[in-house]
Amino acid sequence: MLEIKCPYCGKRSQNEFSYGGDAAVKRPELGKEVSDKEWDNFVYLRKNPRGNHREFWHHVAGCRQWFKVLRDTSTHEIFKTARLDEEL
Amino acid sequence: MTQEYRLKKNGYINRNKKISFKFNGKKYFGFEGDTLASALLANGVHLVGRSFKYHRPRGFLGAGVDEPNAKFQLYSKETTEPNIVATEIELVEGLVAKSQNCWPSVNFDFGAINNLLSKIFPAGFYYKTFMWPKNFWYKIYEPIIRRAAGLGIAPMKPDNDRYEHKFEFCDVLVVGSGPSGLAGALAAAKNGARVILAEDKSRFGGSLLNDEVTIGNKKGKDWADETILQLKSMSNVIVKNRSQVFGYYDHNMMVMIERTKDHIEKPTKYTPRQKLWYIRTKETILSTGSIERPLVFGNNDRPGIMLASAAKEYLKTYGVLVGKKPIIFSNNDGAYDLAIEFKKNGIDPLVIDIREKSNSTAVKEAKNLGIDIKFSHAIANTNGYKKVNSATIGKLNKDKTGYENLENVSCDCICVSGNWTPTVHLSSQSGNKLKFQEKIDAFVPEKSKQNESTVGSAKGIFTLKESLEDGFKLGYELSNKITKKNIKSSIPPSNERNQDRHDKFWCMPLPKNKDYKRCVDFQNDVYVSDIELAVREGFRSIEHVKRYTTLGMATDQGKTSNLNGLQLVSNIEKKIIPEVGHTTFRPPYTPITIGAIVGREVGKHYRPTRKSPMHLWHEKNNAVFVDAGLWLRPRYYKQGNETLQDAAKREATNVRNNIGICDVTSLGKIDIKGSDSAEFLNRIYTNAWMKLPVGKARYGVMLREDGIVFDDGTTTRISENHFHMTTTTAQAANVLSHLEYYLQVVWPDLDVNVLSTTEQWAGVALAGPNSRNLLGKLFPNIDVSNEALPFMGFKKGDLFGVPARIFRISFSGELAFEINVESGYGIFMWEKIMELGKEMNIEPYGTEALSTLRIEMGHVAGSEIDGRVIPSDLSLDGMISKKKDFIGKRSLNRQAFVELDREKIVGVVPIDKKTMIPEGSHLVANRNASLPNPKLGHISASCWSVEYNNPFSLAILKDGKKRIGEKLYALSPLKNKSIEVEIVSSHYVDPKGERVRS
Amino acid sequence: MQKYSIFSLIKNAFSNHKNWEVAWKDPEPKKQYDVVIIGGGGHGLATAYYLAKEHKITNVAILEKGWIGGGNVGRNTTILRSNYMWDANGLFYEYGMKLWENLSQELNYNVMYSPRGIINLAHSDAQLNTYSRRGNSMRLNGIDAVMLGRDELKKMIPFADFSSSSRFPIFGGLMQPRGGTARHDAVAWGYARQADSLGVDIIQHCEVTGFEVQNGKLTGVQTSRGDIKTKKVGLCVAGSTSLLAEKLNMNLPIESHVLQACVSEPVKPFLDHVVTFGAGHFYCSQSDKGEMVMGGDLDGYNSYAQRGNLPTIQHVLSEGVAMFPNLSRLKMLRTWGGIMDMSMDGSPIIDKTHIEGVYLNCGWCYGGFKATPVSGWTFAHTIAQDRVHELNSKFRLNRFSTGHLIDEKGVGTKTWIG
């Protein structure tokens, strides 16, 4: 069972969290013209790396804050967690 | 009954308490502290089971978790349980057990015919046959194989036992209470660490229970007992027996199963049967010991042939002789301990040692005791169908490919020792790569991936002295990382027999022209010839060998067979073992009761049940409930013998004619506050929100980024910077997470806060022509006229002293209002409404009538918003703002989403105006077309229109709007229905929406 | 090639089974192949077999970095079905069912196709209606489906929770009678043996490390055992597709997630069907060995670890006990995990790519095993003819751009929600 350090609450077991996917994916700015390719990149296409992965998690059964996690997808090791306004 | 094989002394059993039990219908006695296995052996019972495939007679091989053969069916008054391991289960008064997988009895088993046919049933035979004729596999062969397979019988009834979960944290978890584990626990505990010591067996001490050693001038067992007492007295230590750590998961999460009930003679009603412990540890000491490997020789699988370490445990721990004329067959010194124990108890063993010689103290001691030892000898074969009665032994030739001579020696048991396999399961589960250690011919942990350290024989250290040193050292070092107290414990001196090297030879050659079966996997019937066959056929990877032969796939998961199988492949392939590799260790270490993993989430508690504050009222008034997500909602209020359809019709009619009240508490409610709230809604919803006046509500549709409709609902502007959003019951939680995501991740600059208030408010809908009259009575101080409170208007009110929110919104399409009060006042509100509404013929209505009302009005709900539609499919084109961007908008111009003939919402009426169209029917142009018959759309929702008194359905239909007026067929082959229908507008009743505005 | 039958078994018994030939050879890789298939799993082996058999292309290599059949074909819950709602899926998998029905005979290898019926339990009228939509769609596509009432189910699975203490009572169910199971290892081995006998080189322990592309055309692959020239390469590496695609500078609409399954200890047969729980993600069947084979939900975060965590197993088994309360007293013997290619609409991709000679077979989500024959069959066609077949014409890569999605569950792009 993963142990995830919520930047606001501290270490908790994974049961309190829900996953939010690849944090490298950036939503295009609202109202901005985007090409089909850029849009597909945002909605569907993923790097899906084996190894280090920056991802979002949501402390859904806790403080309800979204935050960032740097995790190895091949070992599940978590190297770092950070608030959204912090560098990961 | 006498316990003929019980010694007068020895053992840690309680001889003052006799326990009776039944095995295969016969009554026996044992003592408190026995396992079922030791008690049976005390009574001389060796034939206890049959092998899986060939039904060969089987006896005990081990004395612990490694036991592959003695798996029994257990019976109690309430239930039965298959596959319990006789070496693991403690004897309790009245225990009833039977052998499995044999018929009619273990003594005479018809299945043994398979043994005669075994020549044509080698490994993987089933892949090569049973293919003709084609349908016979499923109809004939498979049922026969299924009946023959399986071990015990599953209970058919629910489990009445209770299983609990516990969560713990500690600094150092020590798994196993052998010498290194005790040392580690003691050192860590004395150094101030929070320690948990877990022992799988009922007794602490591991090998110290059975070995003739001393620690600190005490007998090993006494040192173990004292150490346990000392640990138990410390407040920073939890000491647990009958507790097996079975899984090492991510981030040092260890899971342990504690057996809390089955060994107790008279448990209370409240005693849980087992407890599952989730332990998050900072450091782990794996002192999991090692398991003896069998030697492989002709007919080495007969009852009476067992591991030497098991025989020693039966003798020392239980005071049981496994035989009175034993042969000990070994390739190492460990088995000499057993020989000496036999001799000390008046039994003369014969030792067959593969080695040419040994200079160990154990061998010297044995020789001094006058024990008969035959070096350079091996057992080639054994005899005795249901119990071994003799062995064919011989001197091995120089290159160990055959025998120089062969002779028959009678015996009543054979105790074998093929050296030790470290128990590396937990270490491997933690991600540790294993390395092969030549010195011991087995795998040991290499480099830790998590905070895990292995000590003692689990990492290939087989002397007591080194194990103790190792344990003390690690216990101190690991604990000191955490406590930094620098309190070192002194290591007590120890004394033990020294050992010489073992012989790597373990698989005996067959005598010339003999074709004896040499067993590798005892439960699954995998023999040397099977593994040879697999390799011959190209199954050369160890995983292929395992899968093809089923080696190591039985309920013991190959604890005694995997390494032997591996060595065999390595021998045949002439590859070194590291090249062959090993199969993967996965949790659990031993089979774990499913109920224990599930815990308390059973029966009604499988998932929480959410009830509105008015639930009891509904119950009292004959509501029939329906599951809506986790909520229970009244589906209808049953009167007399009426059916669901009758009730829905009655309730809906009353709404159309008079007034109805519906509990809408379960709708998701989200409070939105902040100066950018309107801007936020503008981005979340497809329509415009900036100009919504205070005191007004608006219907909104939100999309996913891929353009698909996510949810809908009304949102009300309570004040300039305060909105009240409603969501569907099903999506409430998802919508909140969605909003939080966008606020926190995407637009952190927006000044908005969101909070779920679903539980805060009790909600009712009042619908029907009389609803305004009633509202006036409920709120005499408020002007509820159409002008003052128009459609989509909002007012705060005072419901006889209770603050309330009044929304003029309508799902039923009637003149309607929703009232929210704080949850605690819900029942007050409901009863007040019922009281004042009585004269207006108010009646409650459930979700079924609600469906009827919304369907004939053409309002969409979950059956249309099914995660595959875009707004225009639901005639919600008007909801899409052209002026602003919003979530998912960019996706709406994709090719498939702008195709003109997309499936769109329409109404459907049967031509005969009588036949209800089953939901889930499909619309086709030609009812008799050959299959596949092209589908034009499907019926999403059906009702009996109370307005027109005929059936009406909603459908999502290809090119739907253009087909209005067309005749099609609604087909439901599942229900054998074919109905001619006419396509009409989805707004069947009040298409202009006059009523809601009236 | 030796023919397998009861007669050959008896004949070989007389020579102590010493004369069986290898099921497939272990050749060294050649320098050049007409087609290289990457991935010796079920789909790769089947593709190679159909390339040789249907399209007479036999100069084919299968490159497998480990041992054949070691990926998802060897770590699934062995369920076969074509009970899909959308035509694209239904017609595709139904063709697959027809291939399954004759597979043992075609491969001369007993894959133990067992049409024992797959039942989806429904726990409300609304769910029954959703199932009706799917079942009716199946029937109109010529696929077998029947609706079962609560009373019928009581007779078929009396040990299911029909009590009043059930949290989500059973209302009925949808059944595909021809759905069932097959023996997973046998499928891989059967295809391997036939492909080998038709001339395909099965090369194990050979990892593809790169691709050679010139002017938008594939010219070869680099491997741990040397470079191989080829003009066509087919990727059949579900679970790891993104890793190979990255070497081709492609981002795919795929995430890798771990799906766990587990088995109980073997018991005498009591469950004769495959049953899925409708109030959660749980399905169960009983293997011929007697083990209850159980599976359910993803662990829920990107993973290549082939190992999962206990909360998911706990969650899945709680659903199991909710469905079959008697499971509580059985013991869980073994758990394992497989890596799924979770595509963004839950349906697979079998297509050409923008690089000439590179073909893609991926995105199988949880459903790859049952697709093994039809996936191989259509992929072989796509590679051999350089165009998609009618059956896989909807499983294009560009459907994500055009919006022609095949979203069977309607959950969108959050692949981890399943």
Side-chain angles (χ1 to χ4, degrees), chain B residues 69-84:
Chain B
N69 296 331
K71 312 263 166 164
F72 297 157
Q73 185 89 28
L74 201 65
Y75 293 87
S76 67
K77 266 180 222 152
E78 285 183 349
T79 184
T80 180
E81 181 166 354
N83 307 342
I84 62 116

PDB file of all heavy atoms in Angstrom, chain B residues 69-84:
ATOM      1  N   ASN B  69       1.125 -32.222   1.717  1.00  0.00           N
ATOM      2  CA  ASN B  69       0.237 -33.381   1.581  1.00  0.00           C
ATOM      3  C   ASN B  69      -0.979 -33.364   2.502  1.00  0.00           C
ATOM      4  O   ASN B  69      -2.080 -33.699   2.083  1.00  0.00           O
ATOM      5  CB  ASN B  69       1.022 -34.670   1.868  1.00  0.00           C
ATOM      6  CG  ASN B  69       2.115 -34.901   0.849  1.00  0.00           C
ATOM      7  OD1 ASN B  69       1.990 -34.477  -0.290  1.00  0.00           O
ATOM      8  ND2 ASN B  69       3.190 -35.539   1.272  1.00  0.00           N
ATOM      9  N   ALA B  70      -0.750 -33.031   3.771  1.00  0.00           N
ATOM     10  CA  ALA B  70      -1.814 -33.214   4.777  1.00  0.00           C
ATOM     11  C   ALA B  70      -2.771 -32.041   4.780  1.00  0.00           C
ATOM     12  O   ALA B  70      -2.737 -31.174   5.646  1.00  0.00           O
ATOM     13  CB  ALA B  70      -1.181 -33.417   6.151  1.00  0.00           C
ATOM     14  N   LYS B  71      -3.620 -31.984   3.758  1.00  0.00           N
ATOM     15  CA  LYS B  71      -4.634 -30.938   3.665  1.00  0.00           C
ATOM     16  C   LYS B  71      -5.982 -31.600   3.890  1.00  0.00           C
ATOM     17  O   LYS B  71      -6.354 -32.515   3.157  1.00  0.00           O
ATOM     18  CB  LYS B  71      -4.610 -30.295   2.283  1.00  0.00           C
ATOM     19  CG  LYS B  71      -3.233 -29.906   1.801  1.00  0.00           C
ATOM     20  CD  LYS B  71      -2.927 -28.463   2.053  1.00  0.00           C
ATOM     21  CE  LYS B  71      -1.449 -28.204   1.884  1.00  0.00           C
ATOM     22  NZ  LYS B  71      -1.087 -26.824   1.737  1.00  0.00           N
ATOM     23  N   PHE B  72      -6.688 -31.131   4.894  1.00  0.00           N
ATOM     24  CA  PHE B  72      -7.923 -31.815   5.288  1.00  0.00           C
ATOM     25  C   PHE B  72      -9.153 -30.942   5.113  1.00  0.00           C
ATOM     26  O   PHE B  72      -9.090 -29.726   5.033  1.00  0.00           O
ATOM     27  CB  PHE B  72      -7.845 -32.220   6.772  1.00  0.00           C
ATOM     28  CG  PHE B  72      -6.740 -33.207   7.066  1.00  0.00           C
ATOM     29  CD1 PHE B  72      -6.230 -33.301   8.353  1.00  0.00           C
ATOM     30  CD2 PHE B  72      -6.208 -34.029   6.093  1.00  0.00           C
ATOM     31  CE1 PHE B  72      -5.214 -34.193   8.652  1.00  0.00           C
ATOM     32  CE2 PHE B  72      -5.195 -34.929   6.378  1.00  0.00           C
ATOM     33  CZ  PHE B  72      -4.692 -35.012   7.665  1.00  0.00           C
ATOM     34  N   GLN B  73     -10.277 -31.642   5.113  1.00  0.00           N
ATOM     35  CA  GLN B  73     -11.572 -30.977   5.178  1.00  0.00           C
ATOM     36  C   GLN B  73     -11.959 -30.941   6.651  1.00  0.00           C
ATOM     37  O   GLN B  73     -11.937 -31.971   7.336  1.00  0.00           O
ATOM     38  CB  GLN B  73     -12.609 -31.765   4.381  1.00  0.00           C
ATOM     39  CG  GLN B  73     -13.963 -31.097   4.286  1.00  0.00           C
ATOM     40  CD  GLN B  73     -14.043 -30.166   3.092  1.00  0.00           C
ATOM     41  OE1 GLN B  73     -13.377 -30.356   2.083  1.00  0.00           O
ATOM     42  NE2 GLN B  73     -14.856 -29.131   3.211  1.00  0.00           N
ATOM     43  N   LEU B  74     -12.291 -29.762   7.129  1.00  0.00           N
ATOM     44  CA  LEU B  74     -12.643 -29.598   8.536  1.00  0.00           C
ATOM     45  C   LEU B  74     -14.156 -29.418   8.638  1.00  0.00           C
ATOM     46  O   LEU B  74     -14.759 -28.735   7.820  1.00  0.00           O
ATOM     47  CB  LEU B  74     -11.935 -28.361   9.069  1.00  0.00           C
ATOM     48  CG  LEU B  74     -11.740 -28.263  10.569  1.00  0.00           C
ATOM     49  CD1 LEU B  74     -10.809 -29.372  11.034  1.00  0.00           C
ATOM     50  CD2 LEU B  74     -11.117 -26.901  10.904  1.00  0.00           C
ATOM     51  N   TYR B  75     -14.733 -30.041   9.648  1.00  0.00           N
ATOM     52  CA  TYR B  75     -16.182 -29.915   9.817  1.00  0.00           C
ATOM     53  C   TYR B  75     -16.494 -29.321  11.177  1.00  0.00           C
ATOM     54  O   TYR B  75     -15.873 -29.671  12.175  1.00  0.00           O
ATOM     55  CB  TYR B  75     -16.860 -31.282   9.712  1.00  0.00           C
ATOM     56  CG  TYR B  75     -16.763 -31.878   8.334  1.00  0.00           C
ATOM     57  CD1 TYR B  75     -15.662 -32.633   7.960  1.00  0.00           C
ATOM     58  CD2 TYR B  75     -17.764 -31.658   7.398  1.00  0.00           C
ATOM     59  CE1 TYR B  75     -15.551 -33.166   6.698  1.00  0.00           C
ATOM     60  CE2 TYR B  75     -17.669 -32.190   6.123  1.00  0.00           C
ATOM     61  CZ  TYR B  75     -16.557 -32.950   5.777  1.00  0.00           C
ATOM     62  OH  TYR B  75     -16.460 -33.456   4.514  1.00  0.00           O
ATOM     63  N   SER B  76     -17.454 -28.414  11.223  1.00  0.00           N
ATOM     64  CA  SER B  76     -17.965 -27.935  12.510  1.00  0.00           C
ATOM     65  C   SER B  76     -19.478 -27.959  12.404  1.00  0.00           C
ATOM     66  O   SER B  76     -20.029 -28.282  11.361  1.00  0.00           O
ATOM     67  CB  SER B  76     -17.461 -26.527  12.789  1.00  0.00           C
ATOM     68  OG  SER B  76     -18.028 -25.617  11.867  1.00  0.00           O
ATOM     69  N   LYS B  77     -20.148 -27.604  13.491  1.00  0.00           N
ATOM     70  CA  LYS B  77     -21.615 -27.630  13.459  1.00  0.00           C
ATOM     71  C   LYS B  77     -22.143 -26.722  12.374  1.00  0.00           C
ATOM     72  O   LYS B  77     -23.109 -27.007  11.700  1.00  0.00           O
ATOM     73  CB  LYS B  77     -22.145 -27.173  14.819  1.00  0.00           C
ATOM     74  CG  LYS B  77     -22.431 -28.343  15.748  1.00  0.00           C
ATOM     75  CD  LYS B  77     -22.957 -27.819  17.086  1.00  0.00           C
ATOM     76  CE  LYS B  77     -22.332 -28.588  18.226  1.00  0.00           C
ATOM     77  NZ  LYS B  77     -22.214 -27.834  19.467  1.00  0.00           N
ATOM     78  N   GLU B  78     -21.485 -25.573  12.235  1.00  0.00           N
ATOM     79  CA  GLU B  78     -22.033 -24.545  11.363  1.00  0.00           C
ATOM     80  C   GLU B  78     -21.579 -24.657   9.916  1.00  0.00           C
ATOM     81  O   GLU B  78     -22.307 -24.312   9.003  1.00  0.00           O
ATOM     82  CB  GLU B  78     -21.608 -23.166  11.867  1.00  0.00           C
ATOM     83  CG  GLU B  78     -22.378 -22.740  13.095  1.00  0.00           C
ATOM     84  CD  GLU B  78     -21.978 -21.339  13.527  1.00  0.00           C
ATOM     85  OE1 GLU B  78     -20.981 -20.817  13.003  1.00  0.00           O
ATOM     86  OE2 GLU B  78     -22.675 -20.801  14.390  1.00  0.00           O
ATOM     87  N   THR B  79     -20.347 -25.112   9.743  1.00  0.00           N
ATOM     88  CA  THR B  79     -19.810 -24.990   8.397  1.00  0.00           C
ATOM     89  C   THR B  79     -18.760 -26.069   8.150  1.00  0.00           C
ATOM     90  O   THR B  79     -18.535 -26.946   8.989  1.00  0.00           O
ATOM     91  CB  THR B  79     -19.205 -23.584   8.191  1.00  0.00           C
ATOM     92  OG1 THR B  79     -18.776 -23.467   6.829  1.00  0.00           O
ATOM     93  CG2 THR B  79     -18.024 -23.332   9.103  1.00  0.00           C
ATOM     94  N   THR B  80     -18.165 -25.980   7.001  1.00  0.00           N
ATOM     95  CA  THR B  80     -17.064 -26.870   6.677  1.00  0.00           C
ATOM     96  C   THR B  80     -15.999 -26.032   5.988  1.00  0.00           C
ATOM     97  O   THR B  80     -16.293 -24.973   5.445  1.00  0.00           O
ATOM     98  CB  THR B  80     -17.534 -28.018   5.769  1.00  0.00           C
ATOM     99  OG1 THR B  80     -16.409 -28.844   5.486  1.00  0.00           O
ATOM    100  CG2 THR B  80     -18.111 -27.507   4.458  1.00  0.00           C
ATOM    101  N   GLU B  81     -14.779 -26.491   6.068  1.00  0.00           N
ATOM    102  CA  GLU B  81     -13.711 -25.714   5.447  1.00  0.00           C
ATOM    103  C   GLU B  81     -12.732 -26.646   4.773  1.00  0.00           C
ATOM    104  O   GLU B  81     -12.270 -27.605   5.374  1.00  0.00           O
ATOM    105  CB  GLU B  81     -13.006 -24.871   6.511  1.00  0.00           C
ATOM    106  CG  GLU B  81     -11.910 -24.020   5.909  1.00  0.00           C
ATOM    107  CD  GLU B  81     -11.424 -22.923   6.849  1.00  0.00           C
ATOM    108  OE1 GLU B  81     -12.015 -22.755   7.925  1.00  0.00           O
ATOM    109  OE2 GLU B  81     -10.447 -22.269   6.489  1.00  0.00           O
ATOM    110  N   PRO B  82     -12.419 -26.359   3.508  1.00  0.00           N
ATOM    111  CA  PRO B  82     -11.495 -27.236   2.795  1.00  0.00           C
ATOM    112  C   PRO B  82     -10.040 -26.829   3.013  1.00  0.00           C
ATOM    113  O   PRO B  82      -9.757 -25.704   3.440  1.00  0.00           O
ATOM    114  CB  PRO B  82     -11.875 -27.007   1.339  1.00  0.00           C
ATOM    115  CG  PRO B  82     -12.373 -25.604   1.290  1.00  0.00           C
ATOM    116  CD  PRO B  82     -12.969 -25.318   2.639  1.00  0.00           C
ATOM    117  N   ASN B  83      -9.156 -27.751   2.710  1.00  0.00           N
ATOM    118  CA  ASN B  83      -7.732 -27.449   2.554  1.00  0.00           C
ATOM    119  C   ASN B  83      -7.072 -26.876   3.800  1.00  0.00           C
ATOM    120  O   ASN B  83      -6.203 -26.029   3.712  1.00  0.00           O
ATOM    121  CB  ASN B  83      -7.501 -26.470   1.383  1.00  0.00           C
ATOM    122  CG  ASN B  83      -8.134 -26.948   0.106  1.00  0.00           C
ATOM    123  OD1 ASN B  83      -8.457 -28.133  -0.014  1.00  0.00           O
ATOM    124  ND2 ASN B  83      -8.334 -26.073  -0.833  1.00  0.00           N
ATOM    125  N   ILE B  84      -7.518 -27.293   4.982  1.00  0.00           N
ATOM    126  CA  ILE B  84      -6.795 -26.825   6.153  1.00  0.00           C
ATOM    127  C   ILE B  84      -5.558 -27.702   6.314  1.00  0.00           C
ATOM    128  O   ILE B  84      -5.564 -28.886   5.989  1.00  0.00           O
ATOM    129  CB  ILE B  84      -7.665 -26.814   7.415  1.00  0.00           C
ATOM    130  CG1 ILE B  84      -8.132 -28.220   7.747  1.00  0.00           C
ATOM    131  CG2 ILE B  84      -8.863 -25.892   7.282  1.00  0.00           C
ATOM    132  CD1 ILE B  84      -7.589 -28.685   9.040  1.00  0.00           C
TER     133      ILE B  84
END
